[in-house]
Amino acid sequence: MKKISIYLAATAVLSLAGSCTKLDENAYDQLLSEKFYNNKNEVLSAVLRPYTHANAWVTPADQRNWWEMSELSADQLAWPTKGRHGEDGGKWKRLHYHTWTVDDDFINNAWGLMYWGMGLCNDPIDNISKRDIGQMGITAAEKEAYVAELKLLRAFHYLKLMDLFGNIPIVTSVPASSNEELPESVARKDVFAFIEKEIKDNIEKTPKLSRGMLGRMSQASGYAMLVELYLNAEVWTGTARWDDCIAAADKLISGSAGGQNGALQLDPNITDTYKPDNDLSKEVIFSIAYDYAKAKFEPGWPNEFYHFKQREIYGGGRNGNDAVVVVPGNYTKYDDADLRKTTWLSVGPQVKFADGTPVTGSEEYNGQQLVFVDNIRRNKAGSTVSTMSEGEENSGVRFNKYRLGNSLPGVVNGVKMDPNPNYNNTDWNVYRLTWIYFAKAEALMRRNGGTATAEAVQLINDCKKRAFSDADWATRAYTTTTLTMDELLNERGREFIFEGFRRDDLIRFGKFETASWWDHQPTSATRKLFPIPQQQRSLNPKLPQNVGY
């Protein structure tokens, strides 16, 4: 039975907490009813509510959110104007070119979504902590575990807020009234210290990762957050924490923090982690879990990645906005023998899942076969100009990493395909064991002056070899000579494309403001932080602006 407990409990509280598609200004919290928490199901509903909200800001869910700011400001993905679509006031160009302003809606909305989610953690923390266990129908152990889990989840919100904005307010309780004093910003290094302490104080109070904790904060999620915290510590605080990063990674690699399907281990191939029943993956540590069949809660990423006629291509019921594509130049960074190139990315002529006949375009290529190309320019007009303004409906290599499955029967390479019973259930992975392997390898190399050790090479090879046939792998394995820091960054790009880490990778490797890619030129070092949204500063004058804005 897949993830049913999360959604039976979570749906009970949705009407009390409101929708995740509209934002309140200055959203530091959202209050739940004081008449709640009268039985275990109500308590669990409140505990799980922030997870459904996280869909809106952690994933590419067609929201203005953390994921968009993290990926579309980096060198792998972009949302170019394609014909009459995608201009959107130029905001995607500003994100791509690092010319965003304090008034851009994607910045304010991301801030609001994350603080709203943090408030959805604060409310049950307050209420569960102060209520008697008999009143709530739970045990003392359950009470401690629920509060610890919520504090880990709250720390996750603060980690991502600190990542984007640097100095931010820390709010750990629900205001008693609207007249309560507004919070002041805290220095980034102090936010870091708060997050670290919250995780360490609560990690052992939460359950180990298990099937029952799928999609929830567990000991494994806590250690994954510590890995991320320490991997970026030098950027975020000025002090490197490589040994701490390695120690946290070892907690996960050793299996001592549990696993959602038995022992935590790398999936044996490059598809199990992303298919419709990826809740069966052995390497996922923390995910945004979906179960459309039982809860009608579906992934949001098709809106960002799918073409207007995508459902014909994969045999499902969902199209998209023809929005996010791969920045030219990244597709060719994959070896032709690399299975990730042909499996995670989509390029070339598109055919119907139902019968293999051509899928035709709906815009520039209306009536002609839709062919995704590795460029962004007006090919139909014979133009060679390639910028964020010059796209067509078929421009760019496309996302194919996560799969929804098919809801309709079809024929693929002559083989009849029945509808997939797990259609539209694909979980979005936040942390997976492969990322932990890469983080430990990087920490080992940085501790060694940027030179690969035998252990670092083995960690990366253990992950990479899944992308090659046995025959091809013999000449593709890394050595301590070939695994340089630059190559590690390149391999991180190939492995974690679409997963939300690229901006941080570029910053950590000193490339975010100094490198050029496609039509993007180097920018100011101040762009390593986003501005505090002007709307929030107008509402709270205690929020100082970041340098450079």
Side-chain angles (χ1 to χ4, degrees), residues 259-270:
Q260 71 176 23
N261 289 291
L264 195 64
Q265 58 185 279
L266 296 177
D267 283 329
N269 56 61
I270 63 169

Side-chain angles (χ1 to χ4, degrees), residues 513-534:
E513 77 280 15
T514 63
S516 300
W517 54 84
W518 182 36
D519 66 338
H520 172 96
Q521 298 302 314
T523 53
S524 169
T526 59
R527 295 285 149 162
K528 290 187 288 185
L529 281 177
F530 286 95
I532 306 301
Q534 186 55 44

Side-chain angles (χ1 to χ4, degrees), residues 430-474:
V430 179
Y431 294 117
R432 59 187 179 100
L433 188 59
T434 299
W435 188 84
I436 302 299
Y437 273 49
F438 271 73
K440 181 180 179 181
E442 182 179 333
L444 288 167
M445 291 175 67
R446 291 189 184 276
R447 193 178 66 175
N448 195 42
T451 300
T453 65
E455 184 179 8
V457 169
Q458 187 64 54
L459 286 164
I460 303 302
N461 280 341
D462 284 346
C463 302
K464 181 184 176 184
K465 67 182 179 182
R466 298 173 298 177
F468 294 88
S469 69
D470 291 342
D472 290 329
W473 177 242

Side-chain angles (χ1 to χ4, degrees), residues 204-215:
E204 296 299 326
K205 297 176 184 177
T206 56
K208 292 184 178 182
L209 178 59
S210 66
R211 185 71 184 173
M213 294 299 291
L214 188 152

Side-chain angles (χ1 to χ4, degrees), residues 165-227:
F165 299 107
N167 303 341
I168 55 172
I170 295 176
V171 184
T172 58
S173 62
V174 177
S177 73
S178 59
N179 297 322
E180 194 162 307
E181 188 173 351
L182 291 169
E184 296 184 3
S185 288
V186 176
R188 198 184 206 184
K189 64 180 181 62
D190 295 326
V191 180
F192 182 102
F194 166 79
I195 296 167
E196 181 183 21
K197 185 176 188 303
E198 282 281 279
I199 297 172
K200 286 185 169 181
D201 286 351
N202 291 284
I203 194 168
E204 296 299 326
K205 297 176 184 177
T206 56
K208 292 184 178 182
L209 178 59
S210 66
R211 185 71 184 173
M213 294 299 291
L214 188 152
R216 294 169 61 181
M217 279 286 161
S218 64
Q219 288 185 26
S221 313
Y223 283 114
M225 281 195 287
L226 287 177
V227 172

